Amino acid sequence: MFAELTAAASTLKAAADITQALLALKTDAAVSAKVVELNGVIANVQQQLFQAQADYTAIQSRLKELEADIEKFQNWEQEKQRYQLHQLTEGTVVYRIKPDMQGSEPVHNLCPNCYQNGVKSILQKYGIQHGHHSVTCPNPNCRAVFLCEKQARRVMPPSPNTTHHW
Ligand SMILES: [Zn+2]
């Protein structure tokens, strides 16, 4: 954008020079030729200013995006302090809400992958996987599954062949 403004300024200087030259001209034909030249210069400077305006608008919207990113980052930096590492089962570690930070919220766990990426994803129940209860990350970009405690052994129903002693 700065380049366009510099160009616009020097183009305006050229326009001023042409205007100055106009005053010295003696014939109508010479004046007409200079006026055509002047119009061309004015069209150029308009084009440069339009471009600068478009660039400025783009810069402004990028600035807004960056400000929103910074705010999100700062919020997450605060929010992440409410959680600490917690072992669900041997080999499975997630982030769990600290007891003194829980307030009225139920106990919940965050996906450690998303946590590292600055995203808060609350793990949800996912049923039995490989004989373990499990939870999954709801973030569509992650979808990680974490194993919890082993599934309790089912109590086998009595076999129909069991001999009854009366
Ligand atoms: Zn995740």
Side-chain angles (χ1 to χ4, degrees):
M1 188 183 81
F2 188 73
E4 277 105 23
L5 289 178
T6 309
S10 69
T11 310
L12 278 178
K13 168 79 170 64
D17 291 347
I18 293 169
T19 314
Q20 201 60 38
L22 272 173
L23 296 173
L25 294 173
K26 304 273 188 295
T27 67
D28 282 354
V31 170
S32 295
K34 269 293 173 204
V35 166
V36 169
E37 192 184 338
L38 183 60
N39 280 337
V41 169
I42 290 170
N44 258 347
V45 82
Q46 272 180 328
Q47 187 53 45
Q48 286 156 346
L49 289 176
F50 282 141
Q51 187 55 51
Q53 199 175 31
D55 289 355
Y56 180 70
T57 306
I59 287 168
Q60 259 188 330
S61 80
R62 182 75 187 118
L63 182 66
K64 273 208 181 102
E65 280 173 21
L66 289 173
E67 280 172 346
D69 282 353
I70 289 170
E71 198 186 326
K72 227 168 101 181
F73 176 77
Q74 284 172 337
N75 288 344
W76 170 243
E77 282 302 301
Q78 222 170 24
E79 181 68 4
K80 74 192 283 193
Q81 303 304 323
R82 299 176 62 220
Y83 295 83
Q84 62 189 358
L85 279 173
H86 171 82
Q87 182 169 296
L88 279 182
T89 188
E90 204 184 321
T92 307
V93 177
V94 296
Y95 281 91
R96 175 165 284 186
I97 185 88
K98 292 176 184 169
D100 58 331
M101 292 287 190
Q102 193 180 335
S104 59
E105 296 176 11
V107 173
H108 59 282
N109 301 313
L110 298 187
C111 170
N113 305 342
C114 292
Y115 184 99
Q116 296 304 338
N117 292 329
V119 177
K120 180 179 176 177
S121 302
I122 299 175
L123 296 173
Q124 303 294 331
K125 194 173 173 178
Y126 194 57
I128 305 297
Q129 300 287 321
H130 310 292
H132 286 256
H133 293 276
S134 70
V135 287
T136 185
C137 174
N139 181 351
N141 299 322
C142 177
R143 294 272 183 224
V145 174
F146 301 92
L147 298 183
C148 309
E149 73 277 9
K150 250 198 165 113
Q151 184 186 15
R153 269 171 195 249
R154 283 209 192 87
V155 178
M156 298 299 283
S159 157
N161 299 331
T162 307
T163 319
H164 292 279
H165 300 283
W166 298 101

